[in-house]
Every structure is written in C-alpha cells, then in structure tokens.
Amino acid sequence: MPNSATPTHCPYCALQCGMNLTPVEGGTVEVSERADFPVNRGALCGKGRTAPAVLSSRVRLTSPLVRSGGTLVPASWDEALDRIASELSRTRAEHGPDACGVFGGGGLTNEKAYTLGKFARVVLGTSQIDYNGRFCMSSAAAGGIKAFGLDRGLPFPLEDIPRTGCVILVGSNLAETMPPSLRFFTELRENGGTLIVIDPRRTKTAEQADLHLAPRPGTDLALALGLLHLVVAEGRVDEEYVRERTAGWEEARAAAMAHWPEYVERITGVSVPELRQTVRMFCEPESAMVLTARGPEQQSKGTDTVGAWINLCLATGRAGRPLSGYGCLTGQGNGQGGREHGQKADQLPGYRKLDDPAARRHVAEVWGVDPDSLPGPGRSAYELLDALGSDIKSLLLMGSNPVVSAPHAAHIEERIKSLDFLAVCDVVLSETAALADVVLPVTQWAEETGTTTNLEGRVLLRQRAITPPEGVRSDLEVMRELADRLGVEKGFPTDPEEVFEELRRASAGGAADYSGITYRRLAEENGVFWPCPAPDAQGTGSPEAHPGTPRLFLDRFATPDGRARFVPVSHRAAAEEPDAEYPVLLTTGRVVAQYQSGAQTRRVDELNAAAPGPFVELHPRLAERLGAAEGDPVAVVSRRGRAVAPARITTAIRPDTVFMPFHWYGEGRANTLTNPALDPTSRMPEFKTCAVRLETVGS
C-alpha cells in the first residue's frame, strides 16, 4: 500500500477518537495525531496510541482453529466453516431454531452488528440473540425512551459541555475510562462553570470536581430523589417549562417528596449541607446537564435511577434546551450503533421494536422475507448466557469475552462449557475463545472499513489502512460463507459500503434513521449525527441533504404529543445488602491502561507495565480491621465465589466499600463475585454493588 496516512478512529471506547494511520514495516501501522476531529482534537490515551500492537501476528490469531482430541489445532477455512454450519444445522434439526444462540458485541461496526442480527433471524431463524452492550447502556436507554421517547447517548455534542453552567457527573471516572474527554470538563471550569462528581471513590475525575459526593454504592436513586425534594422545597421548579413541555409531574413530585433530606442522608451517607449545595450549584446557572455512566446504571434498579436523574432535569427545565439536558456516557466503541441495528434481543434496524408489526413489515421488505418468518423477541444477554447448555445448545459468538465480562462469571463459564458446540470469531484467543470448538480469526479496525456511532450519536467512518494477514477474514465474509452453507445464498454481501446502503434502507423512518447518511458524507463531514433522513423523506420535495441532528429535543421530544414524561420512582434497596456474614460492599470498574475484559489490551506490553494485574482497593480503617498491609493478598468472597488480589490501601474510598477492576481472568476475576440480579426493565445486571466479606490469605 502507498505510504500515506489514512484518517480513521480508535478501536476502543465510545469517544471513537480520530487518528491517522500510516503503514510501516511488519504489516502494522503507526498512529499519529488527527487534530481535525472535534471529539479529541488530536489527543489520544495510552490505549489508542498502542492499539497497533494488537495487529502483530505475535499476539493475534492468523489461522482458524478447530478442536480435535480436546485441543485447538490449526485448520483450513473450509474445514472450520463446514464444521460450524454442520453443527448449527444439526442443532436446528434436533432441537429447533431457538436452540441456536448468537451473542454479539458493542465493538462490532454497524455493518457487522446489522448483518449479525439479520443472520440470526433470517438464516438461523432464532430469537436467541443479544450482545454485551446489554451490560453497558441498557438502563440509560430504557430510561431515555420512557422519558423522551428516544435513546441516544448524548442528545448534544461534547463541544456543548464547556459552555454550560454546571455538570453533575454520576458514576463516571472518565479521567481513566475516556481520558481525552476530560478536557471538555476542564474547559467548563475555566469558563466559570462547575463540576459535581458523584462516586463512592475519590477518583482522578473526582479530584477535578468543585464538589465530590461519595454516596454508598447502590443509593444513587435515593440521592437523585433527595435532590428533587429540595428543588421542590426551595421553590426551584421551572413551573412554566413543566406545564408546557412535560407530563406526569404531580405523580413524580409526590414520590420525590417522600425522600426528605435527612432520610436521604441516612441512606446515602451524603450530608444534608452537601445535598443543598448540589441543588444550589445545579439550579443557579441558566443551563446545566446531568451525565450518567455505569455507576447508577449497572444496578437492579438502574432504569428507575436514570429516571430519577431525568426527573431532576425536567423539573428544573434542563432538557430540550440549549446547553442543557440529560445524557449517558456510552462505554463501548460502538455501544450506541450496536444497539440500534438489530443485534439486541428485542430490536430491528433503525431502533425499531421487534414486536411492532409495522417495523417487521418494513425490515422484512428490505430483507426480502415474509414478516411472519421473523422470530419474536428473545432472551436478554445474561438470561441468554444462563440458558446455555440447557435450552440453547449451540452458540455463535462475535466480539465478546463473557468468561471475564459477565456477572457471576464462574457460573457463566460453566454454562459455556456445557454447550454442545461453541464457535467464536475474534482477533485474539480470548478466555472465551479458548473454550470454543471452532475459532475464526477476523479482521480488526485498521484492516477493515466500516462505520461506528460514538457516544454523541455521531456516525463515523473507519477506513482500512492496511491489508490483513493471510488467513484472516472479515466477520462479513464469515457470515456470508455460513449463510451459503446453511442454504441462504443471497442477502449477505461482504463489501461494507454495500451493507451500509442496505442498512440505510432498513433504518429509514425509524428512530435511528441513517437513510440520509453515505460513506462520502461521513468522510467529508467528519461524521453525521442521526437521525438523518434521506432527502425528501418527509415529502417536502426538497432535494437537499439533511444536515443531521447534533442536538435533539429543542423543539419537541420524541413522544406522540412532543412532551417529556416524568416517571414516578421511589428508592429501594440493592438486590443484595450487607449483613453479618457479608458486611462490606463491593463495586467494580476500570483502570486507564486496560479496556473491558482486557482481551486485547492485556496483550500490549506498555499497558501491562502500567496495569499488570487486579487489586483490591480498601480504606485504611478496613485494612486495619482485616490486618492487611499494602500489597498483601486479600480474598474477597461473595455468595457466588472468591477472588484474590493484592491490597491497595487508600483514603480515596469509603470505609464500608472495596473496589476491584474487572479486566482480568483467573483468581483475581472481579466478576466471579458480582450479582446477576437484573433490572426488571432493562435486564441490566447489578455489577456495581454486592455484599462481600474480606479474608487474609496466608503467605
């Protein structure tokens, strides 16, 4: 290839930072600054800078693997694909189509996520498809749909943050999870705005805040309700806005008034003066925002918690107005697009509902199938994984590593081992892939073209910079080859742009309408915000391209009457509270040098040097009672299992709480401990809080 730079985007988090890639010797690339992309303006974290290391054949897969005599051995592509097709066919014939499961990932491009959903429903005829994004943004999505009629991570671009008056950041350590975004919050404070961070730990992000609140894990719902109580009691409700742009206020108000400040202080540990200061800082500027992340969302009451924070925004007139609103800081690289186009259990492309007859007719017409042939909604992610080996006999998995990332992970590992057949498509031999019967090596970000949708709802074009190694194919090629072998010879193109053109038609008229977006526009305009209908989609006769929608809800919300909905919610306890046997709370999260299950970042020497393994973060008072010193091995035990990691003693965490990062497998696997209790609406597991006890480990 010519030795010229290709503009593209980082393979990791939902910022999708812009970068330039230049081919170098050895079949890899060199990363350089791309200052023209507004999200990161050239800045990159260590993960983005070192991403080319995973392109090396030293760490990645370059040949299909097939299990023979209990061992994975190299095989030809035909042998591997024939084996997968044969096993899926056998499963369908013996047990029915729903005995075949499909599990996707929030890192797949829009084209791959779209095709995976189509493959499951058209080729396999199964309803059993979901993806790991269910573990990330589903509670925020459910809360946003209830309140606004639409879910998009941020309803405004990141560039609006420095110009607002106050941001409440709930359960996000973005200084470590998406470092280039921190500049927007630094600029906010430089411009005279204020930052309030809510986190049980004094993280690097909390250190930047004007006010840090450290609630007890699992009490974010009570905290938001207490703030709304004070908004009412202090006469800070925007009565005109509530009257003209919302519905359901009286019921939500009544629910909030049951959460008086002293009661909320007892639940959360946040003092009444801190509650009052938060309300004052949030309400006094002309504009303000609430941004949530996994802290309040990964709870068995995550949807209600998000709803409470949205209610705070609505009561104060801080939604659907310039420089104001509620937003979710989406985590995975294509977590937003990944849930819009069909790999989620209940959705069809364009964010259409699978049980909506009109949606089924539209998508079926694009796919050239009978609407009645499309299966209905299936199990959510954890429920799907929990059914492996019983109802689900064979699984096709793409771009996920649930052996590390799923809650109650030891149980899920056993369910995976109980399958009749497992096929995995991945870049590296992850812990889950190591259990498979067939492993297919697939292309990664620098070796393929495709689109992603970042946390702002900005659709982006990743461009291929180098040729993949011999023996590696794209996921689109895999699905086309399997479809052929399973009797569906048309409808599965391998050219990403051709797939995107079909996705445009399938999404047309849906909530996430991409029909006015083209590859050319994405390249020329640095991305386009959805919804972006095709010209004349509204029957106006205009041939002009739609500009996209950077800012949602300024005129009306996406509800039938255009009004936002208050949702009355009340505090309730976490699914598992501390007791005499398990007296401490565990919360989990990420560190800056690793990403998600660590399947790729743990193969990068520089990142491993910075974050070589798991640890247990605990307060000095808790460490003293335990008799543990810095670096001592500590066992953390829950009702689901036991994890061991070195102690990291710090006053930056509450004395009743311990923290573990979740990137590692083995005895330090944090998700061995976590609770799979599900939110009744979003089906999000309660990763963020569970009851544990601590034990010292003999030397």
Side-chain angles (χ1 to χ4, degrees):
M1 292 184 65
N3 191 33
S4 58
T6 300
T8 191
H9 297 272
C10 179
Y12 292 116
C13 82
L15 288 180
Q16 288 296 280
C17 291
M19 56 171 58
N20 288 317
L21 301 181
T22 303
V24 295
E25 289 185 12
T28 185
V29 293
E30 181 179 78
V31 171
S32 60
E33 179 179 303
R34 183 182 162 194
D36 68 309
F37 187 60
V39 170
N40 63 308
R41 306 176 206 163
L44 292 169
C45 73
K47 294 185 291 291
R49 286 189 297 98
T50 61
V54 188
L55 295 168
S56 169
S57 58
R58 181 176 62 86
V59 300
R60 58 97 55 84
L61 296 167
T62 57
S63 170
L65 303 174
V66 172
R67 191 166 296 279
S68 176
T71 304
L72 287 171
V73 297
S76 70
W77 270 94
D78 281 341
E79 180 185 353
L81 291 166
D82 287 346
R83 173 86 176 273
I84 297 172
S86 173
E87 292 290 345
L88 293 175
S89 293
R90 180 189 57 77
T91 297
R92 286 194 301 169
E94 294 180 3
H95 304 286
D98 275 358
C100 295
V102 177
F103 199 83
L108 300 181
T109 63
N110 289 318
E111 292 80 0
K112 291 191 280 191
Y114 169 84
T115 303
L116 188 61
K118 182 180 179 181
F119 179 87
R121 295 177 176 110
V122 172
V123 178
L124 297 178
T126 182
S127 66
Q128 300 304 302
I129 175 172
D130 210 71
Y131 83 126
N132 62 15
R134 177 80 68 170
F135 298 158
C136 288
M137 296 76 57
S138 57
S139 291
I145 290 170
K146 282 186 176 184
F148 307 131
L150 182 69
D151 156 49
R152 196 180 82 185
L154 295 181
F156 41 73
L158 285 163
E159 65 189 37
D160 284 1
I161 290 173
R163 299 189 292 142
T164 193
C166 176
V167 172
I168 299 180
L169 187 62
V170 191
S172 172
N173 183 17
L174 53 83
E176 297 204 58
T177 59
M178 43 183 67
S181 70
L182 190 62
R183 67 170 59 191
F184 294 103
F185 298 87
T186 301
E187 291 171 10
L188 163 73
R189 299 182 68 209
E190 290 173 349
N191 292 340
T194 55
L195 174 62
I196 302 168
V197 171
I198 298 173
D199 197 301
R201 304 165 61 222
R202 187 164 181 80
T203 63
K204 292 180 180 179
T205 306
E207 290 173 354
Q208 307 300 312
D210 298 281
L211 177 63
H212 171 219
L213 309 181
R216 186 172 176 268
T219 64
D220 306 89
L221 174 54
L223 179 59
L225 287 163
L227 296 175
L228 183 53
H229 177 111
L230 285 172
V231 165
V232 175
E234 295 178 3
R236 296 181 185 272
V237 176
D238 188 332
E239 301 285 358
E240 181 181 359
Y241 173 93
V242 168
R243 184 172 58 254
E244 294 183 355
R245 298 205 61 187
T246 72
W249 167 233
E250 290 304 320
E251 294 84 355
R253 178 185 181 278
M257 295 312 288
H259 299 77
W260 59 95
E262 292 77 11
Y263 171 58
V264 170
E265 180 181 77
R266 289 200 301 273
I267 293 171
T268 65
V270 177
S271 70
V272 172
E274 288 176 314
L275 295 173
R276 294 188 183 280
Q277 183 181 1
T278 301
V279 168
R280 183 175 67 254
M281 292 170 64
F282 184 69
C283 292
E284 287 183 352
E286 291 185 6
S287 58
M289 300 172 179
V290 172
L291 305 178
T292 67
R294 306 302 79 77
E297 298 164 16
Q298 286 182 327
Q299 299 185 29
S300 59
K301 53 183 182 292
T303 302
D304 284 357
T305 304
V306 166
W309 288 106
I310 292 175
N311 287 348
L312 179 67
C313 290
L314 294 176
T316 54
R318 306 304 175 92
R321 284 179 166 172
L323 307 180
S324 290
Y326 164 79
C328 159
L329 296 171
T330 301
Q332 294 191 80
N334 196 32
Q336 180 69 54
R339 68 183 183 267
E340 295 169 1
H341 297 300
Q343 66 172 333
K344 196 159 170 270
D346 57 351
Q347 286 179 191
L348 288 169
Y351 228 139
R352 289 181 161 89
K353 298 298 288 183
L354 188 53
D355 55 6
D356 177 359
R360 293 169 67 88
R361 286 194 299 271
H362 174 86
V363 174
E365 182 178 357
V366 174
W367 288 351
V369 300
D370 184 341
D372 292 338
S373 71
L374 298 177
R379 292 176 172 89
S380 71
Y382 181 80
E383 292 164 305
L384 188 157
L385 294 171
D386 190 41
L388 299 181
S390 53
D391 294 340
I392 299 172
K393 306 296 185 181
S394 294
L395 181 69
L396 174 63
L397 185 146
M398 286 188 173
S400 187
N401 189 18
V403 164
V404 177
S405 63
H408 199 358
H411 169 71
I412 295 304
E413 183 173 358
E414 289 305 311
R415 300 318 310 153
I416 289 173
K417 289 177 179 177
S418 73
L419 282 163
D420 291 349
F421 179 75
L422 172 64
V424 173
C425 299
D426 210 331
V427 173
V428 297
L429 190 66
S430 71
E431 287 77 11
T432 305
L435 302 177
D437 298 286
V438 178
V439 183
L440 300 180
V442 291
T443 52
Q444 54 180 310
W445 109 110
E447 302 162 348
E448 60 186 12
T449 294
T451 62
T452 61
T453 307
N454 80 345
L455 77 172
E456 308 165 296
R458 188 194 303 253
V459 186
L460 304 165
L461 181 63
R462 286 186 188 166
Q463 300 193 74
R464 175 169 161 163
I466 56 171
T467 302
E470 185 178 352
V472 174
R473 299 185 184 180
S474 75
D475 297 278
L476 294 178
E477 291 175 292
V478 168
M479 287 183 278
R480 197 273 304 278
E481 292 287 346
L482 289 177
D484 285 349
R485 286 166 167 78
L486 292 166
V488 180
E489 297 178 358
K490 294 182 179 180
F492 288 87
T494 60
D495 176 67
E497 188 167 9
E498 186 177 348
V499 176
F500 189 79
E501 289 300 305
E502 183 179 304
L503 183 158
R504 292 176 61 203
R505 298 194 302 275
S507 73
D513 190 335
Y514 284 29
S515 61
I517 303 175
T518 64
Y519 271 30
R520 181 182 60 80
R521 284 192 66 184
L522 295 177
E524 292 176 355
E525 300 176 30
N526 248 340
V528 178
F529 291 84
W530 71 260
C532 182
D536 198 28
Q538 308 304 317
T540 63
S542 171
E544 298 295 324
H546 190 284
T549 314
R551 296 169 181 85
L552 296 170
F553 313 137
L554 295 180
D555 298 320
R556 56 178 285 125
F557 294 97
T559 56
D561 61 5
R563 290 173 173 265
R565 302 286 191 267
F566 282 96
V567 178
V569 295
S570 296
H571 171 70
R572 61 183 186 274
E576 186 177 77
E577 291 285 349
D579 57 21
E581 187 176 3
Y582 299 96
V584 178
L585 287 166
L586 168 71
T587 192
T588 65
R590 284 169 48 188
V591 297
V592 66
Q594 302 289 353
Y595 181 72
Q596 303 299 73
S597 75
Q600 295 188 39
T601 52
R602 284 187 277 114
R603 287 167 167 80
V604 179
D605 292 342
E606 180 179 331
L607 300 179
N608 281 333
F615 57 86
V616 181
E617 187 177 279
L618 67 164
H619 192 276
R621 294 210 299 268
L622 187 55
E624 183 178 5
R625 290 203 302 271
L626 183 65
E630 179 76 15
D632 285 352
V634 171
V636 185
V637 184
S638 78
R639 290 178 172 85
R640 289 154 296 281
R642 184 175 190 265
V644 178
R648 184 173 293 183
I649 301 172
T650 173
T651 57
I653 193 167
R654 291 174 55 98
D656 59 1
T657 301
V658 295
F659 167 83
M660 290 187 71
F662 56 71
H663 309 289
W664 287 274
Y665 184 62
E667 70 172 4
R669 179 174 59 185
N671 278 320
T672 297
L673 308 167
T674 49
N675 191 351
L678 301 180
D679 180 286
T681 302
S682 68
R683 316 308 289 169
M684 167 76 85
E686 191 153 69
F687 285 99
K688 284 301 178 186
T689 180
C690 71
V692 299
R693 69 171 180 265
L694 305 183
E695 299 172 350
T696 56
V697 178
S699 58

